[in-house]
Amino acid sequence: MLTPVPLTPEISLHLAAPHRGLFQGDFTSDRPPPFWEFAWAGGQGLARYVLDHPEVVRGRRVLDVATGSGLVAIAAAKAGAAAVAATDADPEAAAAARRNAEVNRVALAGDIGQPDVVLAGDVFYTGRVAEQMTATLLAARRAGARVLVGDADRGFLPARLFERVTQYEVPVPPALEETETLTAIIWEMRNTMRSPTNNL
């Protein structure tokens, strides 16, 4: 159902009904759950930050990794990014992001080359995924991109690599999170270029 996102009501997404949890509906053991049907707290916080600080993306090439519903990518496009690409390991998520972009009257690019800004919401939710995403984001940062992350304190973010920017209290469906609000923290990845005083 097409629903305004609680923290970014200027964006509407095709989302699961509020009473539905992640493992309800068409989920089966041989098919991953549809993460993209939910506006996760970290993504909501990051989208709000981008909309409130459009100078972060305005006129720049932006890549939203693990886009899910496309919320953060849509926020970047609305904030004036020159071009926005959205990637996700799940082909259904990438398709959902394109559908959601269309209903919000913005376009997502297929390829933008080397991004100026990389955005990532809710990507540190297991140890294995966190390792993969850390490597991806470090590579982007070392290539010169500004990297911003929205995280709802899932426990796997490598905080030593980031500086805390701000935080938001995000309304979330109790059926999904077993609570009514979560704190989404916005982090910016530090300069990780190797130097005599920086051995990351």
Side-chain angles (χ1 to χ4, degrees):
M1 56 187 293
L2 192 61
T3 307
V5 178
L7 199 65
T8 58
E10 55 267 75
I11 297 175
S12 292
L13 302 176
H14 293 285
L15 299 174
H19 62 273
R20 206 180 112 194
L22 180 60
F23 295 101
Q24 295 174 316
D26 296 331
F27 170 77
T28 60
S29 60
D30 59 350
R31 181 172 175 237
F35 292 99
W36 47 269
E37 286 190 355
F38 302 90
W40 298 90
Q44 287 195 56
L46 186 55
R48 182 73 267 158
Y49 181 77
V50 167
L51 290 169
D52 290 346
H53 301 85
E55 68 279 1
V56 171
V57 298
R58 186 184 294 125
R60 294 177 170 86
R61 294 166 297 169
V62 177
L63 175 63
D64 177 27
V65 298
T67 192
S69 65
L71 171 60
V72 176
I74 292 166
K78 283 184 169 289
V84 182
T87 62
D88 200 287
D90 184 348
E92 291 189 21
R98 290 191 295 272
R99 290 194 302 272
N100 284 326
E102 184 176 349
V103 300
N104 285 277
R105 300 184 179 179
V106 297
L108 301 181
D111 182 17
I112 59 168
Q114 184 65 40
D116 303 306
V117 180
V118 174
L119 305 173
D122 301 288
V123 295
F124 296 106
Y125 53 90
T126 70
R128 181 179 62 82
V129 172
E131 286 183 11
Q132 296 170 347
M133 291 308 307
T134 298
T136 296
L137 298 178
L138 277 171
R141 184 68 187 92
R142 287 171 176 159
R146 185 176 185 183
V147 177
L148 292 165
V149 167
D151 184 73
D153 196 20
R154 305 291 183 185
F156 296 97
L157 180 137
R160 67 186 179 86
L161 299 179
F162 292 88
E163 294 181 1
R164 188 180 182 126
V165 177
T166 190
Q167 68 183 50
Y168 299 91
E169 295 304 310
V170 183
V172 293
L176 181 65
E177 300 282 10
E178 298 183 348
T179 185
E180 293 185 351
T181 61
L182 285 174
T183 301
I185 302 171
I186 310 306
W187 301 88
E188 180 163 4
M189 184 168 267
R190 302 176 191 274
N191 183 348
T192 59
M193 298 301 291
R194 297 183 185 276
S195 73
T197 58
N198 184 352
N199 296 315
L200 295 175

